[in-house]
């Protein structure tokens, strides 16, 4: 039995900060935390992935795609896929139906322009879905989602009582770099974890998940957060542990969703 390993990176750059603070245009230090992602963190991450020949998925807001063309080129040259992560990274729960639709449209178009490929998957910038999000995913032909925390296994996403054809690939806060490492002097109550503690959390999650059939191991990371040497050490410790276990299969999200969709549809149609 192999367990799929899905590494995902949300390249939010300055939008992570500007979407939280309308005054951010006048706060260069606040914004510069985001600039570190595409400019410094990303090249390090691409080198690490290249050393182990690991394919991954990037979720990127349209505005980051437009503002950082060289970063986008380097991701595509390395053979990774780019998926939908809104346009401005504004938290969709405060946008209203029209505003959220515009975010879907602009982010979608930016990916098509930059990559020549239609995005397949969507991750919310807010860590939340609105009552319209799933209908918008369907409207734009997005056939996988990585948003929920309800399972360690792929399943079909339900819009209220209706089970859709969209494959949900859940993750968890414990498998995300932000709760451990995202820090700013203006985010109250935040502290930074030791990289060794993070490596231990991720390795122990893998040791358990990889014994349970039908699960996957997904990490959600941010180049501006994980792209520091101490944190990349935690990631590399985790990756080498996973590789040494001999039962991992590294996949892009779209490839894993394609593998699971027919099985999940068959299961759903058999039940109805
Ligand atoms: Zn994000």
């Amino acid at each position: 039995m192999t367990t799929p390993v899905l590494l995902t990176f949300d390249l939010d750059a300055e939008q992570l900060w500007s979407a939280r603070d309308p005054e951010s245009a006048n706060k260069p230090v606040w914004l510069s935390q985001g600039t570190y992602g595409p400019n410094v963190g990303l090249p390090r991450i691409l080198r690490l992935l290249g050393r182990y020949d690991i394919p991954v998925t990037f979720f990127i807001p349209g505005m980051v795609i437009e503002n950082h063309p060289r970063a986008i080129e380097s991701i595509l040259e390395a053979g990774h896929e780019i998926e939908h992560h809104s346009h401005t990274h504004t938290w969709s729960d405060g946008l209203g139906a029209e505003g959220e639709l515009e975010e879907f449209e602009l982010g979608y178009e930016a990916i098509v322009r930059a990559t020549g490929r239609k995005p397949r998957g969507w991750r919310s910038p807010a860590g939340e879905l609105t009552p319209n999000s799933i209908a918008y995913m369907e409207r734009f032909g997005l056939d996988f989602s990585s948003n929920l925390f309800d399972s360690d296994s792929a399943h079909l996403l339900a819009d209220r009582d209706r089970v859709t054809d969209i494959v949900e690939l859940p993750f968890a806060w414990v498998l995300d770099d932000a709760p451990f490492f995202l820090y700013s002097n203006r985010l109250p109550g935040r502290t930074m974890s030791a990289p060794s503690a993070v490596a231990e959390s991720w390795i122990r999650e893998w040791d358990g998940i990889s014994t349970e059939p039908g699960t996957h191991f997904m990490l959600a990371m941010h180049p501006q957060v994980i792209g520091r040497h101490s944190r990349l050490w935690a990631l590399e410790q985790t990756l080498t542990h996973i590789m040494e276990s001999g039962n991992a299969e590294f996949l892009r999200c779209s490839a894993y969703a394609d593998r699971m969709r027919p099985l999940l549809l068959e299961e759903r149609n058999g039940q109805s």
Side-chain angles (χ1 to χ4, degrees):
M1 181 188 88
T2 60
T3 299
V5 179
L6 311 169
L7 302 186
T8 65
F9 294 89
D10 298 358
L11 184 65
D12 297 333
E14 294 85 356
Q15 301 308 122
L16 179 72
W17 305 98
S18 58
R20 285 166 191 240
D21 182 351
E23 301 296 314
S24 63
N26 304 319
K27 294 177 179 168
V29 177
W30 177 250
L31 286 181
S32 71
Q33 300 172 109
T35 309
Y36 193 86
N39 288 2
V40 187
L42 177 68
R44 285 183 191 143
I45 290 163
L46 293 177
R47 281 198 294 275
L48 173 66
L49 297 172
R51 268 206 308 282
Y52 296 102
D53 200 19
I54 296 174
V56 306
T57 302
F58 281 85
F59 290 93
I60 312 184
M63 205 166 259
V64 176
I65 292 174
E66 289 166 2
N67 291 340
H68 294 280
R70 273 202 299 269
I72 303 309
E73 261 170 50
S74 68
I75 290 168
L76 295 174
E77 272 168 20
H80 304 299
E81 68 183 0
I82 294 179
E83 300 296 355
H84 201 322
H85 192 41
S86 84
H87 187 59
T88 63
H89 208 269
T90 306
W91 287 17
S92 34
D93 33 5
L95 276 173
E98 282 301 307
E100 189 182 7
L101 179 60
E102 189 178 283
E103 288 278 322
F104 264 92
E105 273 171 356
L106 295 175
Y108 184 95
E109 287 163 8
I111 289 178
V112 172
R113 264 199 311 277
T115 70
R117 165 189 175 273
K118 294 174 183 171
R120 299 270 315 274
W122 182 76
R123 177 176 283 164
S124 164
E128 194 47 278
L129 304 178
T130 74
N132 300 306
S133 301
I134 297 173
Y136 290 162
M137 275 187 251
E138 291 179 308
R139 186 157 159 176
F140 287 89
L142 299 161
D143 61 13
F144 77 86
S145 153
S146 180
N147 287 291
L148 298 183
F149 297 151
D150 58 343
S151 176
D152 294 324
S153 304
H155 57 82
L156 294 176
L157 190 60
D159 191 5
R160 301 170 187 93
D161 294 336
R162 183 176 61 90
V163 180
T164 72
D165 293 356
I166 297 172
V167 176
E168 169 63 32
L169 302 174
F171 62 113
W173 286 130
V174 71
L175 295 170
D176 188 308
D177 60 359
F180 294 108
F181 291 138
L182 182 68
Y183 178 83
S184 166
N185 60 344
R186 290 167 190 256
L187 290 178
R190 289 276 186 172
T191 55
M192 286 187 259
S193 304
S196 55
V198 178
E200 186 185 353
S201 299
W202 290 355
I203 284 168
R204 286 177 187 245
E205 282 294 320
W206 165 261
D207 285 347
I209 284 174
S210 60
T211 64
E212 296 174 343
T215 57
H216 61 256
F217 180 85
M218 177 184 285
L219 286 178
M221 296 167 282
H222 304 75
Q224 61 182 284
V225 176
I226 197 80
R228 307 246 22 142
H229 292 294
S230 52
R231 287 123 178 232
L232 285 173
W233 173 86
L235 175 59
E236 191 164 10
Q237 291 288 111
T238 307
L239 294 178
T240 50
H241 176 84
I242 288 173
M243 285 183 277
E244 281 162 11
S245 71
N247 55 353
E249 183 185 13
F250 289 87
L251 287 167
R252 294 182 195 88
C253 291
S254 65
Y256 186 53
D258 285 343
R259 180 186 299 176
M260 294 305 291
R261 186 173 302 101
L263 306 173
L264 296 168
L265 288 174
E266 196 180 301
E267 194 180 307
R268 180 193 67 188
N269 297 340
Q271 278 168 4
S272 59

